[in-house]
Amino acid sequence: MALLVMLFASISTAAPKPPPESDLEADLIQGNVNISSWLDSFATGLDLFLAGQNYSSDKNKTTAVIEVGAYINSYDSLRNDLNLDFNFRLPNLEEYWQVTFTSYDETSERGVAQNYVRNTPRERNPGATFGFFRQLGNVRTSFQPRINFTATPSFSHTLTFESIAERASDYHINPKLQFYADAEKGTGTFQALNFNFYLSRHFNLTFINEGDYIDRDHLYTVTNGVALGQWFTKSESLSYNIFFTSKNRPNYQLYSYNLSVAFVQVLYENILDYQVQPNIDFAQEHTFTRNPGVNFHLYLRF
Protein backbone atom coordinates (compact mmCIF):
# COMPACT_ATOMS: atom_id res chain seq x y z
CA MET A 1 0.00 0.00 0.00
CA ALA A 2 2.84 2.39 0.89
CA LEU A 3 4.41 1.65 -2.48
CA LEU A 4 1.17 2.51 -4.29
CA VAL A 5 0.84 5.78 -2.36
CA MET A 6 4.42 6.76 -3.22
CA LEU A 7 3.89 5.89 -6.89
CA PHE A 8 0.67 7.96 -7.07
CA ALA A 9 2.40 10.89 -5.38
CA SER A 10 5.29 10.76 -7.84
CA ILE A 11 2.92 10.69 -10.84
CA SER A 12 0.93 13.62 -9.46
CA THR A 13 4.11 15.60 -8.88
CA ALA A 14 5.36 14.88 -12.40
CA ALA A 15 2.05 15.84 -14.08
CA PRO A 16 2.56 18.83 -16.42
CA LYS A 17 1.19 22.18 -15.25
CA PRO A 18 -0.40 24.69 -17.61
CA PRO A 19 2.11 27.38 -18.60
CA PRO A 20 1.64 30.59 -16.61
CA GLU A 21 0.49 33.69 -18.43
CA SER A 22 3.39 35.83 -19.60
CA ASP A 23 4.25 38.56 -17.10
CA LEU A 24 4.71 41.05 -19.94
CA GLU A 25 1.35 40.13 -21.44
CA ALA A 26 -0.42 40.44 -18.09
CA ASP A 27 1.28 43.80 -17.43
CA LEU A 28 0.19 45.14 -20.84
CA ILE A 29 -3.44 44.12 -20.26
CA GLN A 30 -3.46 45.54 -16.74
CA GLY A 31 -1.85 48.76 -17.98
CA ASN A 32 -4.55 49.14 -20.60
CA VAL A 33 -7.25 48.59 -17.97
CA ASN A 34 -5.66 51.19 -15.68
CA ILE A 35 -5.43 53.84 -18.42
CA SER A 36 -9.01 53.17 -19.56
CA SER A 37 -10.26 53.49 -15.96
CA TRP A 38 -8.35 56.75 -15.52
CA LEU A 39 -9.84 58.21 -18.73
CA ASP A 40 -13.36 57.19 -17.66
CA SER A 41 -12.85 58.66 -14.17
CA PHE A 42 -11.47 61.92 -15.54
CA ALA A 43 -14.34 62.32 -18.01
CA THR A 44 -16.93 61.40 -15.35
CA GLY A 45 -15.48 63.92 -12.87
CA LEU A 46 -15.46 66.72 -15.46
CA ASP A 47 -18.98 65.75 -16.53
CA LEU A 48 -20.33 66.03 -12.96
CA PHE A 49 -18.47 69.32 -12.41
CA LEU A 50 -20.00 70.90 -15.53
CA ALA A 51 -23.50 69.43 -15.08
CA GLY A 52 -23.73 70.17 -11.34
CA GLN A 53 -25.30 66.82 -10.46
CA ASN A 54 -25.76 63.30 -11.75
CA TYR A 55 -28.64 63.19 -14.27
CA SER A 56 -27.66 59.98 -16.06
CA SER A 57 -26.94 56.41 -14.95
CA ASP A 58 -25.27 55.56 -18.28
CA LYS A 59 -21.70 54.31 -18.14
CA ASN A 60 -19.14 56.77 -19.45
CA LYS A 61 -17.96 55.60 -22.88
CA THR A 62 -14.91 57.82 -23.31
CA THR A 63 -12.38 56.05 -25.57
CA ALA A 64 -8.92 56.68 -26.99
CA VAL A 65 -7.34 54.96 -29.99
CA ILE A 66 -3.69 55.08 -31.02
CA GLU A 67 -3.17 54.07 -34.65
CA VAL A 68 0.21 53.17 -36.16
CA GLY A 69 0.32 52.90 -39.95
CA ALA A 70 2.96 51.94 -42.52
CA TYR A 71 2.70 52.22 -46.32
CA ILE A 72 5.06 51.06 -49.04
CA ASN A 73 4.77 50.46 -52.80
CA SER A 74 7.05 50.23 -55.82
CA TYR A 75 6.92 54.01 -56.46
CA ASP A 76 7.19 55.30 -52.88
CA SER A 77 9.54 54.42 -50.05
CA LEU A 78 8.29 53.37 -46.63
CA ARG A 79 6.03 55.99 -45.04
CA ASN A 80 4.99 55.81 -41.40
CA ASP A 81 1.95 57.29 -39.73
CA LEU A 82 0.93 57.82 -36.09
CA ASN A 83 -2.53 59.08 -35.16
CA LEU A 84 -4.57 59.69 -32.02
CA ASP A 85 -8.36 59.58 -31.76
CA PHE A 86 -9.81 60.69 -28.40
CA ASN A 87 -13.60 60.40 -28.16
CA PHE A 88 -14.61 62.44 -25.11
CA ARG A 89 -18.05 61.62 -23.65
CA LEU A 90 -20.02 63.57 -21.01
CA PRO A 91 -23.31 61.65 -20.50
CA ASN A 92 -24.76 64.10 -17.94
CA LEU A 93 -24.03 67.16 -20.06
CA GLU A 94 -24.79 65.68 -23.44
CA GLU A 95 -27.92 64.21 -24.99
CA TYR A 96 -27.18 64.08 -28.69
CA TRP A 97 -23.64 65.44 -28.94
CA GLN A 98 -20.06 64.39 -28.33
CA VAL A 99 -16.55 65.82 -28.62
CA THR A 100 -13.68 64.13 -30.45
CA PHE A 101 -10.02 65.22 -30.42
CA THR A 102 -7.89 63.82 -33.24
CA SER A 103 -4.49 64.39 -34.82
CA TYR A 104 -6.18 64.28 -38.27
CA ASP A 105 -9.47 65.49 -39.75
CA GLU A 106 -11.68 62.40 -39.48
CA THR A 107 -14.61 64.23 -41.13
CA SER A 108 -12.64 64.59 -44.40
CA GLU A 109 -12.26 60.82 -44.89
CA ARG A 110 -15.19 59.39 -46.75
CA GLY A 111 -16.23 56.10 -48.27
CA VAL A 112 -13.67 53.64 -49.62
CA ALA A 113 -10.66 55.61 -48.34
CA GLN A 114 -12.09 55.40 -44.83
CA ASN A 115 -13.51 51.89 -44.74
CA TYR A 116 -11.65 49.68 -47.22
CA VAL A 117 -8.28 50.83 -48.56
CA ARG A 118 -6.04 53.80 -47.69
CA ASN A 119 -2.69 53.89 -49.46
CA THR A 120 -1.28 57.11 -48.02
CA PRO A 121 -0.72 58.43 -44.49
CA ARG A 122 -3.39 60.69 -43.05
CA GLU A 123 -2.77 64.42 -43.40
CA ARG A 124 -1.54 65.84 -40.09
CA ASN A 125 -4.30 68.19 -38.99
CA PRO A 126 -4.95 68.19 -35.21
CA GLY A 127 -8.27 69.56 -34.03
CA ALA A 128 -11.58 69.01 -32.23
CA THR A 129 -14.90 67.92 -33.71
CA PHE A 130 -18.23 68.61 -32.02
CA GLY A 131 -20.81 66.06 -33.11
CA PHE A 132 -24.56 66.66 -32.86
CA PHE A 133 -26.73 63.63 -33.63
CA ARG A 134 -30.46 63.16 -34.09
CA GLN A 135 -32.55 60.22 -35.25
CA LEU A 136 -35.28 61.38 -37.67
CA GLY A 137 -37.41 58.30 -38.19
CA ASN A 138 -35.16 55.82 -39.98
CA VAL A 139 -32.64 58.50 -40.92
CA ARG A 140 -29.62 59.22 -38.71
CA THR A 141 -28.68 62.88 -38.95
CA SER A 142 -25.42 64.40 -37.75
CA PHE A 143 -23.94 67.90 -37.83
CA GLN A 144 -20.20 68.06 -37.09
CA PRO A 145 -18.40 71.42 -36.96
CA ARG A 146 -14.64 71.13 -36.50
CA ILE A 147 -11.88 73.53 -35.48
CA ASN A 148 -8.34 72.78 -36.65
CA PHE A 149 -5.48 73.67 -34.29
CA THR A 150 -3.03 74.73 -36.98
CA ALA A 151 -0.82 77.84 -37.18
CA THR A 152 -3.87 79.63 -38.57
CA PRO A 153 -7.00 78.08 -36.97
CA SER A 154 -9.64 77.08 -39.52
CA PHE A 155 -13.14 75.65 -39.45
CA SER A 156 -14.98 72.96 -41.40
CA HIS A 157 -18.51 71.56 -41.25
CA THR A 158 -20.29 68.38 -42.31
CA LEU A 159 -24.02 67.64 -42.41
CA THR A 160 -24.83 63.96 -42.93
CA PHE A 161 -28.01 61.98 -43.57
CA GLU A 162 -27.69 58.18 -43.45
CA SER A 163 -30.09 55.26 -43.29
CA ILE A 164 -30.09 51.47 -43.47
CA ALA A 165 -32.90 49.42 -45.01
CA GLU A 166 -32.56 45.71 -44.37
CA ARG A 167 -34.41 42.44 -44.70
CA ALA A 168 -33.61 40.08 -41.82
CA SER A 169 -30.46 38.15 -42.68
CA ASP A 170 -30.70 38.50 -46.48
CA TYR A 171 -29.37 41.97 -47.31
CA HIS A 172 -29.24 45.61 -46.32
CA ILE A 173 -29.03 48.85 -48.32
CA ASN A 174 -27.09 51.82 -46.99
CA PRO A 175 -27.83 55.22 -48.63
CA LYS A 176 -25.81 58.24 -47.44
CA LEU A 177 -25.79 61.94 -48.33
CA GLN A 178 -23.28 64.40 -46.91
CA PHE A 179 -22.77 68.14 -47.39
CA TYR A 180 -19.44 69.58 -46.31
CA ALA A 181 -17.56 72.86 -46.24
CA ASP A 182 -13.80 73.10 -45.86
CA ALA A 183 -11.59 76.18 -45.56
CA GLU A 184 -9.17 74.82 -48.18
CA LYS A 185 -11.33 72.71 -50.52
CA GLY A 186 -14.49 74.81 -50.38
CA THR A 187 -17.95 73.22 -50.40
CA GLY A 188 -18.92 69.82 -51.72
CA THR A 189 -21.29 66.88 -51.54
CA PHE A 190 -20.73 63.16 -51.02
CA GLN A 191 -23.23 60.47 -52.00
CA ALA A 192 -23.13 56.72 -51.44
CA LEU A 193 -25.49 53.84 -52.15
CA ASN A 194 -24.07 50.50 -50.99
CA PHE A 195 -25.69 47.07 -51.14
CA ASN A 196 -24.67 44.29 -48.76
CA PHE A 197 -25.76 40.66 -49.22
CA TYR A 198 -25.33 37.90 -46.63
CA LEU A 199 -24.22 34.86 -48.63
CA SER A 200 -23.66 32.49 -45.73
CA ARG A 201 -22.48 32.37 -42.14
CA HIS A 202 -18.92 33.12 -43.22
CA PHE A 203 -19.33 35.23 -46.38
CA ASN A 204 -20.96 38.49 -47.38
CA LEU A 205 -20.80 40.57 -50.56
CA THR A 206 -20.92 44.37 -50.76
CA PHE A 207 -21.39 46.53 -53.86
CA ILE A 208 -19.98 50.05 -53.35
CA ASN A 209 -21.20 53.09 -55.30
CA GLU A 210 -19.91 56.53 -54.28
CA GLY A 211 -19.63 60.01 -55.70
CA ASP A 212 -17.80 63.08 -54.34
CA TYR A 213 -18.20 66.55 -55.88
CA ILE A 214 -15.94 69.51 -54.99
CA ASP A 215 -17.62 72.71 -56.10
CA ARG A 216 -14.59 75.03 -56.31
CA ASP A 217 -12.66 72.68 -58.62
CA HIS A 218 -15.77 71.34 -60.38
CA LEU A 219 -14.27 67.91 -59.70
CA TYR A 220 -16.53 64.89 -59.50
CA THR A 221 -14.93 61.61 -58.37
CA VAL A 222 -16.87 58.34 -58.64
CA THR A 223 -15.87 55.04 -57.04
CA ASN A 224 -17.48 51.70 -57.86
CA GLY A 225 -16.37 48.37 -56.49
CA VAL A 226 -17.00 45.02 -54.89
CA ALA A 227 -15.85 43.69 -51.51
CA LEU A 228 -16.16 40.03 -50.55
CA GLY A 229 -15.84 39.44 -46.80
CA GLN A 230 -14.84 36.12 -45.28
CA TRP A 231 -14.89 35.34 -41.53
CA PHE A 232 -12.80 32.49 -40.13
CA THR A 233 -13.47 33.25 -36.47
CA LYS A 234 -14.83 36.18 -34.48
CA SER A 235 -11.31 37.60 -34.36
CA GLU A 236 -9.99 36.82 -37.87
CA SER A 237 -11.35 37.86 -41.27
CA LEU A 238 -10.36 38.56 -44.87
CA SER A 239 -11.76 41.08 -47.35
CA TYR A 240 -11.17 40.69 -51.11
CA ASN A 241 -11.65 44.07 -52.80
CA ILE A 242 -11.63 45.63 -56.25
CA PHE A 243 -12.38 49.33 -56.83
CA PHE A 244 -12.58 51.51 -59.94
CA THR A 245 -12.21 55.29 -59.65
CA SER A 246 -13.26 57.76 -62.37
CA LYS A 247 -12.99 61.57 -62.59
CA ASN A 248 -14.61 64.20 -64.79
CA ARG A 249 -11.48 66.33 -65.42
CA PRO A 250 -10.58 67.01 -68.19
CA ASN A 251 -13.40 64.66 -69.19
CA TYR A 252 -15.13 61.75 -67.51
CA GLN A 253 -12.71 58.80 -67.67
CA LEU A 254 -11.16 55.99 -65.65
CA TYR A 255 -8.56 57.38 -63.24
CA SER A 256 -7.38 54.25 -61.39
CA TYR A 257 -8.32 50.76 -60.22
CA ASN A 258 -7.09 48.83 -57.21
CA LEU A 259 -7.10 45.18 -56.15
CA SER A 260 -6.45 44.31 -52.52
CA VAL A 261 -6.80 41.64 -49.84
CA ALA A 262 -7.11 42.81 -46.24
CA PHE A 263 -6.43 40.48 -43.31
CA VAL A 264 -7.74 41.63 -39.91
CA GLN A 265 -6.96 39.96 -36.60
CA VAL A 266 -8.12 40.97 -33.13
CA LEU A 267 -5.39 40.01 -30.66
CA TYR A 268 -7.22 41.27 -27.56
CA GLU A 269 -10.84 42.36 -27.83
CA ASN A 270 -11.27 46.13 -27.38
CA ILE A 271 -7.52 46.44 -26.73
CA LEU A 272 -5.28 45.45 -29.65
CA ASP A 273 -5.91 44.57 -33.31
CA TYR A 274 -4.13 44.97 -36.64
CA GLN A 275 -4.68 44.88 -40.40
CA VAL A 276 -2.31 43.82 -43.19
CA GLN A 277 -3.37 44.71 -46.74
CA PRO A 278 -1.31 43.80 -49.82
CA ASN A 279 -2.66 45.57 -52.90
CA ILE A 280 -1.93 46.34 -56.55
CA ASP A 281 -2.79 49.79 -57.88
CA PHE A 282 -3.12 50.84 -61.53
CA ALA A 283 -3.28 54.64 -61.86
CA GLN A 284 -3.51 57.02 -64.79
CA GLU A 285 -0.60 59.09 -63.46
CA HIS A 286 1.64 56.02 -63.90
CA THR A 287 0.12 55.08 -67.30
CA PHE A 288 -1.74 52.26 -65.53
CA THR A 289 1.51 50.44 -64.80
CA ARG A 290 1.24 47.83 -62.07
CA ASN A 291 2.14 49.28 -58.66
CA PRO A 292 2.22 46.61 -55.91
CA GLY A 293 2.32 47.67 -52.28
CA VAL A 294 1.47 46.73 -48.69
CA ASN A 295 -0.38 48.71 -46.00
CA PHE A 296 -0.20 47.92 -42.29
CA HIS A 297 -2.29 49.32 -39.42
CA LEU A 298 -2.01 48.61 -35.70
CA TYR A 299 -4.70 49.87 -33.29
CA LEU A 300 -4.25 50.20 -29.52
CA ARG A 301 -7.55 50.98 -27.78
CA PHE A 302 -8.24 52.33 -24.28
Side-chain angles (χ1 to χ4, degrees), residues 30-261:
Q30 187 58 47
N32 183 278
V33 172
N34 293 339
I35 294 175
S36 300
S37 300
W38 182 86
L39 289 174
D40 290 343
S41 300
F42 173 76
T44 300
L46 181 60
D47 185 27
L48 292 174
F49 173 77
L50 294 174
Q53 57 180 307
N54 192 359
Y55 297 102
S56 173
S57 60
D58 294 340
K59 181 180 178 181
N60 193 292
K61 297 181 180 179
T62 293
T63 59
V65 180
I66 297 176
E67 177 192 2
V68 179
Y71 311 82
I72 188 171
N73 59 56
S74 60
Y75 288 101
D76 298 303
S77 58
L78 178 64
R79 293 163 295 170
N80 297 316
D81 195 18
L82 177 63
N83 297 290
L84 172 64
D85 187 334
F86 182 38
N87 188 357
F88 196 57
R89 303 304 301 270
L90 305 172
N92 285 293
L93 197 63
E94 70 185 41
E95 184 177 2
Y96 296 105
W97 70 279
Q98 65 187 56
V99 183
T100 303
F101 298 92
T102 55
S103 58
Y104 61 95
D105 185 359
E106 79 282 8
T107 63
S108 67
E109 295 188 351
R110 303 175 180 90
V112 168
Q114 181 184 33
N115 299 319
Y116 290 97
V117 56
R118 186 174 68 251
N119 289 326
T120 58
R122 288 188 169 107
E123 181 180 355
R124 188 67 60 215
N125 192 3
T129 301
F130 301 86
F132 299 86
F133 304 92
R134 176 75 67 172
Q135 193 75 23
L136 303 176
N138 294 326
V139 179
R140 185 175 186 266
T141 306
S142 65
F143 176 61
Q144 295 178 278
R146 175 181 172 85
I147 179 172
N148 300 314
F149 303 141
T150 53
T152 303
S154 59
F155 295 88
S156 61
H157 309 271
T158 61
L159 175 62
T160 306
F161 302 91
E162 186 173 10
S163 181
I164 295 179
E166 59 183 339
R167 178 183 175 184
S169 59
D170 294 333
Y171 65 86
H172 74 250
I173 303 172
N174 179 208
K176 182 176 182 179
L177 176 63
Q178 184 179 84
F179 302 93
Y180 61 87
D182 185 271
E184 295 182 0
K185 297 180 180 179
T187 59
T189 59
F190 173 82
Q191 320 90 39
L193 184 60
N194 300 334
F195 300 85
N196 182 270
F197 297 90
Y198 305 101
L199 303 180
S200 69
R201 180 181 177 183
H202 298 287
F203 290 92
N204 72 357
L205 184 66
T206 304
F207 293 95
I208 293 95
N209 305 280
E210 301 173 352
D212 191 358
Y213 179 72
I214 300 177
D215 181 67
R216 185 169 62 185
D217 299 330
H218 301 291
L219 177 64
Y220 190 54
T221 303
V222 175
T223 301
N224 303 101
V226 179
L228 175 64
Q230 179 182 7
W231 277 261
F232 302 104
T233 66
K234 291 183 178 180
S235 61
E236 295 180 342
S237 66
L238 276 174
S239 178
Y240 311 90
N241 313 309
I242 178 170
F243 298 107
F244 299 88
T245 302
S246 304
K247 296 187 177 183
N248 68 330
R249 304 296 298 270
N251 51 54
Y252 190 76
Q253 57 187 296
L254 180 66
Y255 179 76
S256 67
Y257 58 98
N258 182 282
L259 295 86
S260 67
V261 178

Side-chain angles (χ1 to χ4, degrees), residues 247-298:
K247 296 187 177 183
N248 68 330
R249 304 296 298 270
N251 51 54
Y252 190 76
Q253 57 187 296
L254 180 66
Y255 179 76
S256 67
Y257 58 98
N258 182 282
L259 295 86
S260 67
V261 178
F263 174 72
V264 178
Q265 183 177 29
V266 179
L267 299 177
Y268 298 101
E269 188 174 3
N270 298 323
I271 296 178
L272 187 65
D273 59 275
Y274 70 91
Q275 179 190 81
V276 179
Q277 186 174 41
N279 68 95
I280 304 177
D281 193 65
F282 301 84
Q284 186 184 78
E285 60 180 326
H286 298 134
T287 63
F288 294 101
T289 303
R290 181 180 58 190
N291 180 19
V294 177
N295 307 327
F296 174 79
H297 298 276
L298 176 70

